[in-house]
Amino acid sequence: MIALLFALFVATMGLNYYGRTQAGTTLFLITLAMSIYWLKYHATSQLSIQL
């Protein structure tokens, strides 16, 4: 998931670099929402180790 988020942020930077600022902003907001979802539901959950 982290690799996907980094790839989307790189794509956002690429879109903004090539002048596609509206598409870059949209992708940035989508990626930001995915980051918040990941933080809320995955990074803060308790570890369940099954031995």
Side-chain angles (χ1 to χ4, degrees):
M1 183 71 178
I2 292 293
L4 173 66
L5 292 173
F6 277 119
L8 289 172
F9 279 124
V10 168
T12 299
M13 289 187 285
L15 286 170
N16 284 319
Y17 180 77
Y18 289 111
R20 306 272 322 262
T21 56
Q22 186 176 7
T25 302
T26 304
L27 185 59
F28 174 75
L29 293 174
I30 291 169
T31 307
L32 193 62
M34 290 174 62
S35 299
I36 292 168
Y37 170 79
W38 181 84
L39 179 67
K40 184 173 171 100
Y41 293 106
H42 296 290
T44 58
S45 66
Q46 294 180 351
L47 291 176
S48 61
I49 300 172
Q50 298 175 356
L51 298 175

